[in-house]
Amino acid sequence: MRIVVLAGGIGGARFLRGLKQAVPDADITVIGNTADDIHLFGLKVCPDLDTVMYTLGGGINEEQGWGRTDETFHLKEELAAYGVGPEWFGLGDRDFATHIVRTQMLSAGYPLSAVTEALCDRWKPGVRLLPMSDDRVETHVAVTLPDSGSAAGSGERKAIHFQEYWVRLRASVPAEAVVPVGAEQAKPAPGVLEAIAEADVVLFPPSNPVVSIGTILAVPGIREAIADAGVPVVGLSPIVGDAPVRGMADKVLAAVGVESTAAAVAEHYGSGLLDGWLVDTVDAGSVERVEAAGIRCRAVPLMMTDVDAAAQMAREALALAEEVRG
Ligand code: GDP
Ligand code: CA
């Protein structure tokens, strides 16, 4: 079975680990979000690709869900001693090596897809990990920063990098707009459209619908390829009990006018894209609303408390795919 999964960071990676356990013989292609990418200290950092690679390759910091296990922060401390930041983005010594290798290869002229393949030679994630695009796409968030010392409402409106919004500000001010800068001009990375065309099923893990899956779908050609593939497309809700399981997805959903409910996220993707949608058992009451939108819906446990739980979610998603295939 050929499975294509669109993935962000933590939610995508943990689901993929379950999927691999559930169907060890499946041929899995992951289309990873690269709109979170950021240049720091002259290095190209791809947080979502790395989270998938480290999680599936056994190098992830489990508790944190991102970054390396057994990590130290000497380099960051030394940079800080020179007054060189940003200090709000946590890059450990082991992690730095990945970004150095990536940046070196990019500087030598390799596209990100080739670089990702080279990094995966070491990590052997057991899936084919493709960046959504080799072109630069960067999510920016429009915010009004509170202007200390002056009257409320006189703050400065500006667009900041997604990581600055998410990591430095912890989404503490409303996101007024979320823009995947560069997406319109970006091309799907080599292999992306081919993998979708050859897939037996396409899955949307419980990744962020706006800044993970939304940005992948914003690359021209990807959404159309999925809609036209003629295979079941099944998603799992990242919203459980009207709140994100982790993180601040509600803030970016609000920016695109979508309420933080499992049903609203399904409607946001729409029946033109989604054939099936899984909501958590606590959201069983929303099954009818999703089905009224033309999307087959089931309520099953959706908390990835461990790999077995994630594997069970993967089995449910594949079962729903078979059901909609008819
Ligand atoms: P990020 O790039 O690291 O933010 O990760 P993703 O975009 O892949 O996933 C983030 C989303 O995963 C968040 O909106 C969470 O609500 C969701 N999430 C995390 N853990 C779980 C879980 O155990 N169950 C479900 N249903 N969603 C989860
Ligand atoms: Ca991310």
Side-chain angles (χ1 to χ4, degrees), residues 78-298:
E78 291 297 314
L79 288 164
Y82 285 110
V84 174
E87 79 303 323
W88 47 265
F89 202 88
L91 288 182
D93 300 327
R94 293 182 188 282
D95 200 17
F96 258 111
T98 303
H99 313 314
I100 290 170
V101 173
R102 173 184 293 124
T103 307
Q104 208 168 28
M105 286 190 70
L106 288 170
S107 314
Y110 290 94
L112 183 62
S113 48
V115 175
T116 304
E117 193 179 342
L119 293 171
C120 286
D121 272 347
R122 171 184 174 195
W123 290 101
K124 306 207 173 355
V127 299
R128 186 157 164 248
L129 177 60
L130 303 175
M132 65 193 201
S133 178
D134 279 336
D135 302 320
R136 183 166 169 173
V137 180
E138 232 173 59
T139 300
H140 288 191
V141 181
V143 293
T144 302
L145 295 175
D147 184 6
S148 54
S150 62
S154 65
E156 184 195 0
R157 187 166 200 263
K158 61 179 205 167
I160 57 176
H161 190 285
F162 170 72
Q163 298 297 355
E164 190 174 357
Y165 180 70
W166 206 248
V167 181
R168 186 168 85 82
L169 298 179
R170 305 293 309 159
S172 57
V173 294
E176 292 159 19
V178 178
V179 184
V181 178
E184 276 173 30
Q185 295 79 38
K187 289 181 296 300
V192 165
L193 297 182
E194 293 80 354
I196 295 169
E198 290 165 7
D200 297 308
V201 55
V202 177
L203 299 179
F204 293 1
S207 282
N208 190 306
V210 182
V211 294
S212 292
I213 295 181
T215 47
I216 300 170
L217 294 172
V219 176
I222 295 185
R223 174 189 290 271
E224 297 76 6
I226 293 171
D228 296 345
V231 298
V233 180
V234 171
L236 300 91
S237 179
I239 306 292
V240 171
D242 301 345
V245 175
R246 122 186 222 150
M248 300 128 328
D250 49 324
K251 297 294 174 60
V252 287
L253 280 166
V256 295
V258 177
E259 65 184 25
S260 281
T261 65
V265 173
E267 289 168 354
H268 172 63
Y269 287 130
S271 60
L273 196 59
L274 272 188
D275 301 301
W277 185 242
L278 293 177
V279 300
D280 189 82
T281 45
V282 303
D283 297 312
S286 64
V287 169
E288 227 174 289
R289 174 174 158 193
V290 176
E291 296 221 314
I295 300 163
R296 197 81 63 93
C297 185
R298 297 284 174 269

